[in-house]
């Protein structure tokens, strides 16, 4: 008889892999240290998630996430749309439909997505969900996972899927760091809800409106049920902006942005949450150690974290869950024996996104540091380098570049499809016509410092 599969962690990765495995006939137990989500979506703001503090941060769910959800968990996709999640086209710069129908993203708060995944999993007879249950350690004999230990006993299993996120308890036992690089950014986020009758803020990049600053960045992210969040990113050692984590300072600063201010007035929205700071962010890639036991699988943030600036984490987690569930369904007879191959495949798939995130963080950190030091920006004077942000800017004039940028940004095309001879030539041509990337338009760093001092 097959032992049950144990999934450690009930975040995006854990819930989605458990759901797909249960539907393929596997017995699955999900062990989650936090409490279950509320039954009523209206209470979602109250859901306490100390095990996954990033759930209090703004999120966007990219094209790949939407595509995987529609394909592999269509009932969850429909449930989300039925509960206030909106689909926003990114096929054109203006957000109007037309062109590639795959190019759409989901406007949802992160806990709302988990709420829907949890609801679906509760209906699966093959799934057993245990909230408030921390996995403490794993029992390994003869090189194989045999059981996991929780507070009141142990659960036999020969398959342990580690979906416990960036702070997985097994990160030092069964995995080693392949690479670990500081993201160089601290985020502060606050959520709001539009009042009845107030129109949705204009969005310039899918579900977001981004504002580049001199030494900082800010964004408005639209979410489900007329909620939205403002996020402001700063350098970790920029102590002048530290007070952004205080509600009064945050609100003063957020109101400096012309793109955000009309929606922050008392008549336009109400505050939903405190300011949630998130520091210590790292791009981290792990690989199982040589002697990692058979039956140990890595998923989501437990395998790889990247700078949230690209909004890739949830898409990566769901896509890896799809790949893992497919591998199990294709070769169900020796699941523990699949671990080395499946883990290696997941690592190889995520590697280009990891590398891209590390490189982009280096560039952003240099730009922000130079801006704060009043030095010339280290980006050169000629045609800018090809990356997602440049091509999105240029894409407002050239639909081919827009589409290429969006397909790569939404993980619907590999990153190699960005820097092609054709795209470089199109960029050069635009440059020769006088086009230039959008310059920072918002308040300056000194304005933010002044607002915080008020
Ligand atoms: C500031 C910020 C903004 C972000 N914005 C975006 C975005 O816009 N779009 C996007 O796609 N991604 C974004 N991300 C990343 C995204 O949130 C993560 O990549 C995603 O949550 C990974 O899901 P996961 O299930 O692997 O891990 P998690 O969501 O961290 O889930 C892990 C789960 O394991 C549980 N757990 C931990 N230890 C144990 C244990 N010992 N026993 C049992 N359970 C345990 C935790 O409680 C948690 O529920 C952002 C991240 C941050 C920090």
């Amino acid at each position: 008889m097959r032992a049950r599969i144990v999934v450690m962690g009930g975040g995006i990765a854990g819930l989605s892999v458990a759901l797909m495995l249960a539907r393929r006939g596997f017995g699955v137990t999900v062990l989650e240290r936090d409490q279950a989500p509320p039954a009523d979506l209206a209470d979602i703001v109250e859901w306490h998630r100390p095990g996954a503090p990033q759930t209090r941060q703004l999120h966007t769910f990219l094209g790949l996430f939407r595509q995987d959800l529609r394909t592999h968990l269509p009932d969850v996709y429909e449930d989300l749309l039925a509960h206030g999640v909106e689909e926003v086209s990114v096929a054109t710069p203006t957000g109007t439909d037309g062109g590639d129908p795959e190019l759409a993203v989901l406007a949802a708060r992160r806990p709302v997505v988990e709420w829907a995944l949890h609801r679906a999993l509760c209906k699966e007879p093959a799934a057993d969900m245990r909230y408030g249950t921390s996995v403490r350690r794993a029992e390994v004999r003869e090189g194989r996972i045999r059981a996991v230990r929780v507070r009141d006993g142990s659960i036999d299993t020969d398959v342990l899927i580690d979906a416990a996120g960036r702070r997985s308890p097994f990160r030092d036992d069964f995995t080693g760091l392949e690479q670990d690089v500081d993201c160089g950014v601290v985020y502060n986020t606050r959520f709001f809800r539009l009042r009845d009758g107030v129109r949705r803020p204009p969005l310039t990049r899918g579900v977001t409106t981004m504002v580049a600053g001199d030494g900082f960045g800010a964004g408005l992210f639209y979410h489900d049920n007329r909620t939205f969040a403002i996020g402001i990113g700063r350098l970790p050692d920029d102590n002048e902006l530290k007070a952004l984590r205080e509600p009064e300072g945050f609100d003063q600063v957020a109101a400096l942005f012309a793109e955000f201010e009309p929606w922050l007035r008392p008549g336009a929205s109400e505050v939903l949450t405190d300011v949630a700071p998130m520091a210590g962010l790292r791009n981290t890639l792990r690989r199982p150690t040589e002697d990692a036991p058979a039956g140990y699988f890595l998923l989501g943030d437990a395998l790889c974290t990247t700078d949230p600036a690209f909004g890739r984490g949830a898409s990566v987690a769901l896509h890896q869950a799809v790949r893992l569930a497919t591998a199990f369904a294709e070769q169900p007879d020796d699941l523990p024996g699949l671990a080395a191959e499946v883990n290696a495949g997941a690592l190889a798939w995520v590697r280009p996104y990891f590398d891209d995130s590390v490189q982009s963080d280096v560039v952003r950190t240099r730009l922000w540091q130079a801006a704060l030091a009043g030095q010339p920006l280290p980006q050169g004077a000629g045609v800018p380098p090809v990356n997602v942000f440049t091509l999105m800017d240029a894409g407002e004039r050239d639909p081919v570049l827009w589409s290429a940028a969006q397909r790569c940004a939404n993980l619907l095309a590999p990153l190699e499809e960005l820097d092609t001879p054709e795209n470089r030539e199109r960029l050069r041509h635009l440059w020769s016509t006088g086009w230039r990337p959008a310059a920072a338009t918002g308040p300056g760093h000194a304005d933010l410092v002044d607002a915080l001092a008020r």
Side-chain angles (χ1 to χ4, degrees), residues 7 24 39 42 57 66 70 100 156 175 184 237 285 331 339 345 407:
V7 177
R24 286 167 163 92
Q57 297 289 328
R66 170 182 172 265
R70 276 166 58 115
D100 190 343
D156 289 343
T175 71
D237 56 2
L285 193 58
Q331 300 183 59
R407 289 192 65 76

Side-chain angles (χ1 to χ4, degrees), residues 7-16 30-35 47 49-62 65 108 110 114 130-137 149-150 162-170 185-189 207-208 221 223 276-279 281-282 299-318 320 411:
V7 177
M8 175 174 60
I12 301 264
L15 291 172
S16 54
V30 180
L31 305 173
E32 166 56 48
R33 51 159 279 180
D34 289 349
Q35 300 302 320
W47 188 23
R49 290 285 272 123
Q54 75 275 22
T55 55
R56 297 169 65 217
Q57 297 289 328
L58 29 65
H59 272 67
T60 168
F61 293 89
L62 301 177
F65 189 92
R110 152 72 199 250
E114 288 176 305
R130 302 190 197 171
Y131 283 93
T133 307
S134 270
V135 174
R136 298 189 163 177
R137 58 188 185 83
R149 283 233 156 241
V150 293
D162 183 348
R166 62 191 67 211
R167 288 178 297 176
S168 162
F170 297 137
V185 63
V186 171
Y187 291 101
N188 286 286
T189 293
V207 294
T208 68
F221 282 48
H223 291 114
M278 190 105 195
L281 294 168
R282 305 190 72 81
L299 205 56
D301 275 9
L303 175 73
C304 176
T305 57
T306 54
D307 188 321
F310 292 95
R312 289 172 177 155
S315 302
V316 166
L318 176 58
Q320 288 174 344
L411 314 193

Side-chain angles (χ1 to χ4, degrees), residues 77-289:
Y77 167 78
E78 293 298 341
D79 201 28
L80 284 171
L81 295 189
H83 285 90
V85 168
E86 289 181 42
E87 210 162 53
V88 176
S89 170
V90 287
T92 61
T94 49
T96 48
D97 282 332
D100 190 343
E102 277 191 338
L103 283 179
V105 295
L106 295 178
R109 282 169 293 172
R110 152 72 199 250
V112 172
V113 174
E114 288 176 305
W115 176 87
L117 287 166
H118 162 84
R119 240 159 85 90
L121 195 56
C122 287
K123 294 180 196 144
E124 293 301 327
D128 167 24
M129 295 187 61
R130 302 190 197 171
Y131 283 93
T133 307
S134 270
V135 174
R136 298 189 163 177
R137 58 188 185 83
E139 286 176 18
V140 177
R141 283 193 302 281
E142 292 159 3
R144 297 169 83 93
I145 293 281
R146 302 292 175 173
V148 291
R149 283 233 156 241
V150 293
R151 192 177 56 190
D152 49 2
S154 70
I155 300 166
D156 289 343
T157 185
D158 54 13
V159 175
L160 170 59
I161 299 176
D162 183 348
R166 62 191 67 211
R167 288 178 297 176
S168 162
F170 297 137
R171 64 191 163 182
D172 298 325
D173 294 344
F174 303 150
T175 71
L177 272 175
E178 174 90 350
Q179 230 177 311
D180 175 31
V181 186
D182 194 352
C183 293
V185 63
V186 171
Y187 291 101
N188 286 286
T189 293
R190 189 167 211 191
F191 280 79
F192 304 82
R193 189 193 303 278
L194 291 175
R195 294 196 186 279
D196 289 348
V198 177
R199 70 190 163 89
R200 188 175 89 176
L203 304 167
T204 58
R205 291 284 184 270
V207 294
T208 68
T209 290
M210 305 300 287
V211 183
D214 58 348
F216 63 91
L220 181 154
F221 282 48
Y222 192 67
H223 291 114
D224 58 280
N225 292 296
R226 296 175 54 73
T227 61
F228 67 95
I230 305 282
I232 304 174
R234 65 166 172 89
L235 286 167
D237 56 2
D238 183 356
N239 292 330
E240 290 185 303
L241 298 189
K242 231 178 177 174
L244 276 170
R245 63 185 175 191
E246 308 299 336
E248 300 76 24
F250 184 93
D251 290 352
Q252 298 267 24
V253 167
L256 294 177
F257 294 86
E259 293 85 348
F260 309 159
E261 191 275 335
W263 285 272
L264 297 174
R265 295 175 195 164
S269 66
E270 60 176 320
V271 169
L272 280 189
T273 65
D274 245 342
V275 179
M278 190 105 195
L281 294 168
R282 305 190 72 81
N283 295 292
T284 307
L285 193 58
R286 297 187 164 273
R287 70 160 62 243
T289 52

